[in-house]
Structures are given as structure tokens and as C-alpha cells.
Amino acid sequence: MADAPLLTIAFLERLPDSSAKVIAGMRPQDAAALFEAVPTRIVTPIVERMEKWPAALCLQHISEERAAAILSKIAYQDATVLLRLTPVERREAVLAQLPTRLARDLTESLRYPRNCVGAWMDLSVPTLSAGATVKDAIAVMKSGERPAGEAIFVVDDAQRLAGLVPAESLLRHSANTKLGNILQAGLKPLFARSLLRDVHSDAGWNDYLRLPVAGRNGQLLGTLSRHDMMSGLSTISAKTVGAETDGLVWSRVGDAFVISMAGLAGLFGDDSIAVFKRTEN
């Protein structure tokens, strides 16, 4: 795309809040084309003001170099959230374009042990603010660029979970209704560092097939589905059994070796075994 017209650039630069709302309602491909044509210094404050899910979709459709340039200029926590919403292969490609130290820090923030909730959570989960409308939420649900879900998660300015709005609830309210007025509060998120075995019996599974996952600072990171939780537990259990089996085999091999050596000592005498040991040494 050619450079954006001066009038467009002036609007984006002077009215970043309004620009963020307009761009969030555009097709990700069109918004990305605009981001490519506008200087990074103008795009950055707009991305910071956008709802995180539309912003992440826009960044997925621009060049890796431009995405890295934007991420390196915005707040660290915002960059982390946007990368969590980015498919793994694309994320790795963008990280490779970032300054070494920043890329290392972000990578560490995104890594979790295999037996933890964080390793199995779905990061591609859109979030909207309490000020977003039913119309905004329906647009996200219809975007076709998100996994099927049963609810829209609503977060506060610090990206902490405020509540959720079930998909069917969106159809019962007018387009301009604020999500903050119809959200269901009280659902406690799982923590990304929790062990899978410890969340197996969480009360949330009684009402939902997918539960929100938060970091240590309470920031919403993604969701964990019941299916993924069970898959994780099954995988971990299989590996544990395999490791225990391998250990048992080698233990028995060792026992057999000791017994064999004891038998040789009885058959040939201690002197023969001593010669054997010197030869091995």
C-alpha cells in the first residue's frame, strides 16, 4: 500500500482514541494495510488504545518487521498480551525481529512448564473492555479468526478479568448495550502456574467448558478447556509411567549384574574377580 494521504495521517495523529475505535471496526487486512502505510510513531499510540483482540489481528497481517517495531514501542505488558494472542509460528517470527534483550524477556514471560495450566491454555482468546458494546462483541464472534467459544471475556484497564458475557446473552440486548452492564461477574480464573492436577476439580467446570486463566498479577492470559486439561493430564501421566518403567528396567538390569558378579565370585574365587577389575581399570 502506498503512503497514507496527509489528511488521514493528520486524523490518526491528532485523534488516536477515535482512530483506535474506527480501526478496530475495520477488517484486519484493511487495518493492517493502513498500519503499513503510516509511520510507526503514529501507529503506536493507536495500538495502545485499541481493544487487544482487534489489535492482535491487525498485527498478524502486517510485516514481521513492522509488527516488531510497534511492539518495541508500546508498554511491555501490552506487548505480552498481543503476543499471547498471536499464533506460535508468527509469534516466533516477530520475536526474531525484536531487540535481543526484549525478545528474551518476552519469551520468558510466555513460557510455562508442561505440567502447568499455562502450557495448555488457549492464548487466542479475544477480550473486550466493559465499555465495549454488544455490537463490538458480535463482530468479534463473527470474525471467523478466533476459536469457537461460549462467551466473551471482559477485562478492566489492567487486563484483569471483570467477568464474561455468554454468547446467547448478546442476542437479548440492543447493539449499543455496554458489556459492563450485562457481564456475569464472580468467576475466578485459574492461575497459569497452577498444576493441572490441582485444577481438575475446580468448581468452574460445573458451569463452563472453558475457564479463564490469569497470570500472577491477575492479568487475563487465555483460557483452558476441559478437553485440553484432560489431554494434558493424560500426556503427563503417560510420560510419568514411561519414566518409572525405564527406571525399573535399569534397576533390574543393575540387580542382575550384581547377582551375576556374585555368582562369578563364587565360581572362580575372589582373585579372578580382582583380575577382572584391574583389567577394566
PDB file of all heavy atoms in Angstrom, residues 1 13 56 61 63-64 70 76 103 122 168 178 217 226 239 255 271:
ATOM      1  N   MET A   1       0.848  -1.202   0.000  1.00  0.00           N
ATOM      2  CA  MET A   1       0.000   0.000   0.000  1.00  0.00           C
ATOM      3  C   MET A   1       0.881   1.248   0.000  1.00  0.00           C
ATOM      4  O   MET A   1       1.887   1.311   0.690  1.00  0.00           O
ATOM      5  CB  MET A   1      -0.912   0.001   1.234  1.00  0.00           C
ATOM      6  CG  MET A   1      -1.841   1.210   1.334  1.00  0.00           C
ATOM      7  SD  MET A   1      -2.965   1.101   2.746  1.00  0.00           S
ATOM      8  CE  MET A   1      -3.873   2.632   2.551  1.00  0.00           C
ATOM      9  N   GLU A  13      -3.057  11.006  13.888  1.00  0.00           N
ATOM     10  CA  GLU A  13      -2.109  11.584  14.839  1.00  0.00           C
ATOM     11  C   GLU A  13      -2.812  12.432  15.894  1.00  0.00           C
ATOM     12  O   GLU A  13      -2.450  12.397  17.076  1.00  0.00           O
ATOM     13  CB  GLU A  13      -1.071  12.415  14.098  1.00  0.00           C
ATOM     14  CG  GLU A  13       0.045  12.933  14.980  1.00  0.00           C
ATOM     15  CD  GLU A  13       1.165  13.575  14.188  1.00  0.00           C
ATOM     16  OE1 GLU A  13       0.951  13.900  13.001  1.00  0.00           O
ATOM     17  OE2 GLU A  13       2.272  13.732  14.740  1.00  0.00           O
ATOM     18  N   ALA A  56      -4.391  -7.335  17.956  1.00  0.00           N
ATOM     19  CA  ALA A  56      -3.580  -8.523  17.668  1.00  0.00           C
ATOM     20  C   ALA A  56      -3.831  -9.027  16.250  1.00  0.00           C
ATOM     21  O   ALA A  56      -2.899  -9.425  15.546  1.00  0.00           O
ATOM     22  CB  ALA A  56      -3.886  -9.618  18.685  1.00  0.00           C
ATOM     23  N   HIS A  61      -1.381  -9.361  10.369  1.00  0.00           N
ATOM     24  CA  HIS A  61      -1.459  -9.188   8.919  1.00  0.00           C
ATOM     25  C   HIS A  61      -0.467  -8.171   8.371  1.00  0.00           C
ATOM     26  O   HIS A  61      -0.492  -7.869   7.168  1.00  0.00           O
ATOM     27  CB  HIS A  61      -2.879  -8.774   8.528  1.00  0.00           C
ATOM     28  CG  HIS A  61      -3.880  -9.882   8.639  1.00  0.00           C
ATOM     29  ND1 HIS A  61      -4.539 -10.181   9.820  1.00  0.00           N
ATOM     30  CD2 HIS A  61      -4.325 -10.791   7.733  1.00  0.00           C
ATOM     31  CE1 HIS A  61      -5.352 -11.199   9.630  1.00  0.00           C
ATOM     32  NE2 HIS A  61      -5.245 -11.589   8.378  1.00  0.00           N
ATOM     33  N   SER A  63       3.769  -6.819   8.161  1.00  0.00           N
ATOM     34  CA  SER A  63       5.077  -7.461   8.074  1.00  0.00           C
ATOM     35  C   SER A  63       5.646  -7.711   9.474  1.00  0.00           C
ATOM     36  O   SER A  63       5.307  -7.004  10.434  1.00  0.00           O
ATOM     37  CB  SER A  63       6.044  -6.585   7.274  1.00  0.00           C
ATOM     38  OG  SER A  63       6.325  -5.387   7.987  1.00  0.00           O
ATOM     39  N   GLU A  64       6.488  -8.705   9.575  1.00  0.00           N
ATOM     40  CA  GLU A  64       7.100  -9.029  10.862  1.00  0.00           C
ATOM     41  C   GLU A  64       7.940  -7.864  11.381  1.00  0.00           C
ATOM     42  O   GLU A  64       7.966  -7.581  12.579  1.00  0.00           O
ATOM     43  CB  GLU A  64       7.965 -10.291  10.717  1.00  0.00           C
ATOM     44  CG  GLU A  64       7.152 -11.528  10.372  1.00  0.00           C
ATOM     45  CD  GLU A  64       7.953 -12.598   9.683  1.00  0.00           C
ATOM     46  OE1 GLU A  64       9.188 -12.416   9.544  1.00  0.00           O
ATOM     47  OE2 GLU A  64       7.367 -13.605   9.267  1.00  0.00           O
ATOM     48  N   ILE A  70       6.432  -1.892  16.235  1.00  0.00           N
ATOM     49  CA  ILE A  70       5.326  -1.416  17.063  1.00  0.00           C
ATOM     50  C   ILE A  70       5.422  -1.995  18.471  1.00  0.00           C
ATOM     51  O   ILE A  70       5.296  -1.276  19.474  1.00  0.00           O
ATOM     52  CB  ILE A  70       3.978  -1.787  16.426  1.00  0.00           C
ATOM     53  CG1 ILE A  70       3.801  -1.032  15.102  1.00  0.00           C
ATOM     54  CG2 ILE A  70       2.819  -1.483  17.384  1.00  0.00           C
ATOM     55  CD1 ILE A  70       2.601  -1.483  14.289  1.00  0.00           C
ATOM     56  N   TYR A  76       5.364  -2.850  27.929  1.00  0.00           N
ATOM     57  CA  TYR A  76       5.771  -4.260  27.953  1.00  0.00           C
ATOM     58  C   TYR A  76       4.574  -5.197  28.136  1.00  0.00           C
ATOM     59  O   TYR A  76       4.459  -6.219  27.445  1.00  0.00           O
ATOM     60  CB  TYR A  76       6.781  -4.480  29.079  1.00  0.00           C
ATOM     61  CG  TYR A  76       7.293  -5.890  29.197  1.00  0.00           C
ATOM     62  CD1 TYR A  76       8.368  -6.324  28.429  1.00  0.00           C
ATOM     63  CD2 TYR A  76       6.695  -6.798  30.070  1.00  0.00           C
ATOM     64  CE1 TYR A  76       8.841  -7.623  28.533  1.00  0.00           C
ATOM     65  CE2 TYR A  76       7.161  -8.098  30.174  1.00  0.00           C
ATOM     66  CZ  TYR A  76       8.234  -8.510  29.404  1.00  0.00           C
ATOM     67  OH  TYR A  76       8.690  -9.803  29.514  1.00  0.00           O
ATOM     68  N   ALA A 103      13.306  -9.465  23.325  1.00  0.00           N
ATOM     69  CA  ALA A 103      12.804 -10.756  22.849  1.00  0.00           C
ATOM     70  C   ALA A 103      12.986 -11.833  23.906  1.00  0.00           C
ATOM     71  O   ALA A 103      12.101 -12.670  24.120  1.00  0.00           O
ATOM     72  CB  ALA A 103      13.534 -11.148  21.561  1.00  0.00           C
ATOM     73  N   ASP A 122      -5.326 -21.846  25.877  1.00  0.00           N
ATOM     74  CA  ASP A 122      -5.538 -21.270  24.548  1.00  0.00           C
ATOM     75  C   ASP A 122      -5.286 -19.773  24.650  1.00  0.00           C
ATOM     76  O   ASP A 122      -5.990 -19.067  25.363  1.00  0.00           O
ATOM     77  CB  ASP A 122      -6.970 -21.552  24.095  1.00  0.00           C
ATOM     78  CG  ASP A 122      -7.266 -20.980  22.719  1.00  0.00           C
ATOM     79  OD1 ASP A 122      -6.363 -20.372  22.119  1.00  0.00           O
ATOM     80  OD2 ASP A 122      -8.408 -21.146  22.248  1.00  0.00           O
ATOM     81  N   GLU A 168     -25.168 -16.331  24.042  1.00  0.00           N
ATOM     82  CA  GLU A 168     -26.611 -16.203  23.891  1.00  0.00           C
ATOM     83  C   GLU A 168     -27.149 -14.923  24.517  1.00  0.00           C
ATOM     84  O   GLU A 168     -28.184 -14.389  24.112  1.00  0.00           O
ATOM     85  CB  GLU A 168     -27.325 -17.415  24.515  1.00  0.00           C
ATOM     86  CG  GLU A 168     -27.114 -17.592  26.011  1.00  0.00           C
ATOM     87  CD  GLU A 168     -25.900 -18.422  26.355  1.00  0.00           C
ATOM     88  OE1 GLU A 168     -25.048 -18.606  25.461  1.00  0.00           O
ATOM     89  OE2 GLU A 168     -25.812 -18.882  27.509  1.00  0.00           O
ATOM     90  N   LYS A 178     -23.667  -1.634  26.746  1.00  0.00           N
ATOM     91  CA  LYS A 178     -22.301  -1.819  27.213  1.00  0.00           C
ATOM     92  C   LYS A 178     -22.142  -3.199  27.851  1.00  0.00           C
ATOM     93  O   LYS A 178     -23.016  -3.644  28.606  1.00  0.00           O
ATOM     94  CB  LYS A 178     -21.929  -0.748  28.245  1.00  0.00           C
ATOM     95  CG  LYS A 178     -22.046   0.685  27.752  1.00  0.00           C
ATOM     96  CD  LYS A 178     -20.989   1.027  26.731  1.00  0.00           C
ATOM     97  CE  LYS A 178     -21.037   2.499  26.361  1.00  0.00           C
ATOM     98  NZ  LYS A 178     -20.030   2.864  25.333  1.00  0.00           N
ATOM     99  N   ASN A 217      -0.038 -11.599  38.300  1.00  0.00           N
ATOM    100  CA  ASN A 217      -0.524 -10.251  38.584  1.00  0.00           C
ATOM    101  C   ASN A 217      -2.016 -10.100  38.325  1.00  0.00           C
ATOM    102  O   ASN A 217      -2.557  -8.998  38.381  1.00  0.00           O
ATOM    103  CB  ASN A 217       0.248  -9.221  37.759  1.00  0.00           C
ATOM    104  CG  ASN A 217       0.116  -9.474  36.263  1.00  0.00           C
ATOM    105  OD1 ASN A 217      -0.530 -10.438  35.833  1.00  0.00           O
ATOM    106  ND2 ASN A 217       0.708  -8.621  35.468  1.00  0.00           N
ATOM    107  N   ARG A 226     -11.853 -27.871  29.144  1.00  0.00           N
ATOM    108  CA  ARG A 226     -11.865 -29.156  29.855  1.00  0.00           C
ATOM    109  C   ARG A 226     -11.146 -30.222  29.033  1.00  0.00           C
ATOM    110  O   ARG A 226     -10.404 -31.047  29.566  1.00  0.00           O
ATOM    111  CB  ARG A 226     -13.306 -29.583  30.121  1.00  0.00           C
ATOM    112  CG  ARG A 226     -13.424 -30.899  30.899  1.00  0.00           C
ATOM    113  CD  ARG A 226     -14.853 -31.392  30.894  1.00  0.00           C
ATOM    114  NE  ARG A 226     -15.731 -30.508  31.631  1.00  0.00           N
ATOM    115  CZ  ARG A 226     -15.916 -30.597  32.947  1.00  0.00           C
ATOM    116  NH1 ARG A 226     -15.272 -31.503  33.641  1.00  0.00           N
ATOM    117  NH2 ARG A 226     -16.752 -29.783  33.550  1.00  0.00           N
ATOM    118  N   LYS A 239       3.847 -40.004  30.370  1.00  0.00           N
ATOM    119  CA  LYS A 239       5.292 -39.775  30.462  1.00  0.00           C
ATOM    120  C   LYS A 239       5.836 -40.224  31.807  1.00  0.00           C
ATOM    121  O   LYS A 239       6.936 -40.761  31.908  1.00  0.00           O
ATOM    122  CB  LYS A 239       5.591 -38.291  30.240  1.00  0.00           C
ATOM    123  CG  LYS A 239       5.401 -37.840  28.798  1.00  0.00           C
ATOM    124  CD  LYS A 239       5.797 -36.393  28.629  1.00  0.00           C
ATOM    125  CE  LYS A 239       5.663 -35.969  27.174  1.00  0.00           C
ATOM    126  NZ  LYS A 239       6.036 -34.546  26.987  1.00  0.00           N
ATOM    127  N   ASP A 255      20.505 -55.017  39.208  1.00  0.00           N
ATOM    128  CA  ASP A 255      20.413 -56.126  40.161  1.00  0.00           C
ATOM    129  C   ASP A 255      20.942 -57.418  39.537  1.00  0.00           C
ATOM    130  O   ASP A 255      21.661 -58.198  40.186  1.00  0.00           O
ATOM    131  CB  ASP A 255      18.951 -56.334  40.592  1.00  0.00           C
ATOM    132  CG  ASP A 255      18.448 -55.191  41.474  1.00  0.00           C
ATOM    133  OD1 ASP A 255      19.293 -54.440  41.995  1.00  0.00           O
ATOM    134  OD2 ASP A 255      17.219 -55.060  41.625  1.00  0.00           O
ATOM    135  N   ASP A 271      40.072 -63.870  43.636  1.00  0.00           N
ATOM    136  CA  ASP A 271      41.250 -63.452  42.870  1.00  0.00           C
ATOM    137  C   ASP A 271      40.907 -63.196  41.412  1.00  0.00           C
ATOM    138  O   ASP A 271      41.393 -62.257  40.788  1.00  0.00           O
ATOM    139  CB  ASP A 271      42.360 -64.500  42.951  1.00  0.00           C
ATOM    140  CG  ASP A 271      42.946 -64.579  44.349  1.00  0.00           C
ATOM    141  OD1 ASP A 271      42.740 -63.607  45.113  1.00  0.00           O
ATOM    142  OD2 ASP A 271      43.583 -65.598  44.665  1.00  0.00           O
TER     143      ASP A 271
END
